[in-house]
Amino acid sequence: MAANKKKISLRERLFRILASVGIAITLWFMVNGNADMLITQDFNSIPITLNKVESLTEKNLVLADDKNYYLNLQVKGTDKNLRNVNMKEVTAEVDLSDIEAKGTYHLDVEVKGLANSVIISSMNPTSLSIEVDNIIKENLDVVILLEGKPANDLSVISAESLEQVEVEGPEASIARIDKITATADVSGLESDTTRHLEVAAYDATGDPITDLEILPNVVKTEIVLGKTKSIGIIPSTTGSPANGYIVTGVQVEPSKVLVGANEALLNSIETIPMDPIDVSGQSKTFTKDINLTPPVGCYFLDDGGKVKVTVSIESPVEKSFTIDKVSTKNLGTGLVAAKVKDARVVVKLEGASSILNSLNASQIEAFVDCANLPPGEYELPIQTNLSQSLVKSITPAKTTVIIE
């Protein structure tokens, strides 16, 4: 006969249910903490990783700013859950894989490694502004800089790289390049030499540009020694200006250039020739930049091969001067001019007003040339001490001279 079960009262069953619920809640609090007691915690200076940087290189792109980014993070959770956060597993990341062209991109920062029971309440920054530039290449000349002084009172008259370099990097960085340089120490140098010099890129303020690849990074350089001196430039013109105009002057700036060569050759050079300036059809003053060609075996120093030539062109004016005496020149020893028929002449000049207005009669000499003439009577042309290009006429053109 089965034993009779003890009948549990409704009141006792309710008590047991409530006790079970209470125990369950207590156990949950023991494991998870108090659900109503959420607290906040800050995690600062979390490094932000830029993912897929290599994808930019494959597209001939590069980050314009190579710098580090950091995230400040604030989270909420129970004390228990926050204590279980392992910061070694928490990362902040930005994905660059969708970037296809040069430009500025605003990309979201993604936080990974936090448990679902931890809530992000704030983060700074929430996104990064990423600037991307094109990678380009450019071939450039190398400027050779010098340090020190050669021996025996010699000078470096030429220092040139025998090759160009290829520069690769961000387009903005290459645009900043003022020059590619290499430096040669010539202290005590006694003869011509060849050096292998390391190159570097600099901007206009002299600061190095470091985010570039330069190939080759060492260049072969020839250094030539010699003597130097300043030599004058002889300008000239060709052709004729427009009708009614004349060339009134040619000015070269600088008027001399510093030239280097071996001493014997240098001593044989008196002037630097210049190709004639074409003035055909010109009706006003003009200026032209000219690159001179050095004589064979010579070198221009300090950019001396570049000059600025100004050709003055004006409409000519006429002006007449009366000269009260006609003198004689180059009479033979013991001879005298017993008589000069015309004692007064009129000299008519034509030229630039700037020149003619600066003249007066006392500055003009009229004379006849009696060189190699024995005693006798001669009809001789009257000349002046002015440039033939200024003298339009002399009245009378000739005079009679008696030499005794």
Side-chain angles (χ1 to χ4, degrees), residues 27-248:
L27 291 174
W28 189 91
F29 278 132
M30 292 176 63
V31 174
N32 295 290
N34 190 339
D36 295 329
M37 292 296 293
L38 293 178
I39 60 175
T40 62
Q41 185 167 342
D42 294 329
F43 298 101
N44 295 325
S45 300
I46 301 172
I48 300 175
T49 302
L50 302 182
N51 290 334
K52 303 296 183 180
V53 175
E54 66 280 1
S55 69
L56 298 180
T57 305
E58 295 168 359
K59 302 166 187 173
N60 284 325
L61 299 172
V62 67
L63 293 173
D65 296 315
D66 184 15
K67 62 182 182 181
N68 296 321
Y69 300 92
Y70 297 92
L71 174 71
N72 293 329
L73 184 67
Q74 186 179 78
V75 297
K76 286 183 179 181
T78 64
D79 179 66
K80 176 74 173 181
N81 289 338
L82 292 181
R83 282 189 283 107
N84 287 336
V85 173
N86 184 355
M87 288 308 299
K88 293 182 179 180
E89 298 176 356
V90 177
T91 61
E93 302 176 8
V94 171
D95 185 10
L96 307 181
S97 61
D98 289 335
I99 296 177
E100 297 292 338
K102 173 182 176 179
T104 301
Y105 297 82
H106 299 282
L107 304 176
D108 292 336
V109 178
E110 184 180 0
V111 177
K112 297 181 179 180
L114 285 175
N116 292 334
S117 56
V118 175
I119 303 169
I120 297 176
S121 57
S122 70
M123 52 189 287
N124 183 34
T126 58
S127 65
L128 295 184
S129 179
I130 301 293
E131 186 176 355
V132 176
D133 200 357
N134 291 322
I135 297 176
I136 64 171
K137 296 180 181 180
E138 191 168 330
N139 292 325
L140 296 173
D141 293 325
V142 178
V143 177
I144 306 301
L145 305 179
L146 302 173
E147 289 182 348
K149 183 175 177 58
N152 305 322
D153 201 29
L154 294 171
S155 299
V156 175
I157 60 175
S158 176
E160 293 185 354
S161 168
L162 300 181
E163 54 193 326
Q164 283 190 320
V165 293
E166 181 183 78
V167 184
E168 180 178 349
E171 187 174 4
S173 295
I174 288 184
R176 287 175 52 216
I177 296 175
D178 179 60
K179 56 189 173 183
I180 305 291
T181 69
T183 301
D185 186 354
V186 297
S187 300
L189 195 62
E190 297 180 349
S191 60
D192 300 349
T193 187
T194 299
R195 297 275 179 86
H196 291 83
L197 305 175
E198 187 173 354
V199 300
Y202 294 89
D203 63 18
T205 64
D207 292 329
I209 306 173
T210 58
D211 59 344
L212 301 172
E213 182 179 15
I214 305 176
L215 294 176
N217 65 340
V218 173
V219 295
K220 186 177 181 181
T221 303
E222 284 189 351
I223 299 173
V224 181
L225 303 183
K227 296 287 188 175
T228 66
K229 75 173 182 179
S230 292
I231 302 178
I233 303 167
I234 305 299
S236 62
T237 63
T238 184
S240 299
N243 189 33
Y245 292 87
I246 59 172
V247 174
T248 59

Side-chain angles (χ1 to χ4, degrees), residues 250-268:
V250 181
Q251 183 177 6
V252 181
E253 181 63 35
S255 60
K256 293 184 177 182
V257 291
L258 187 62
V259 178
N262 68 63
E263 191 168 11
L265 175 59
L266 200 60
N267 290 336
S268 69

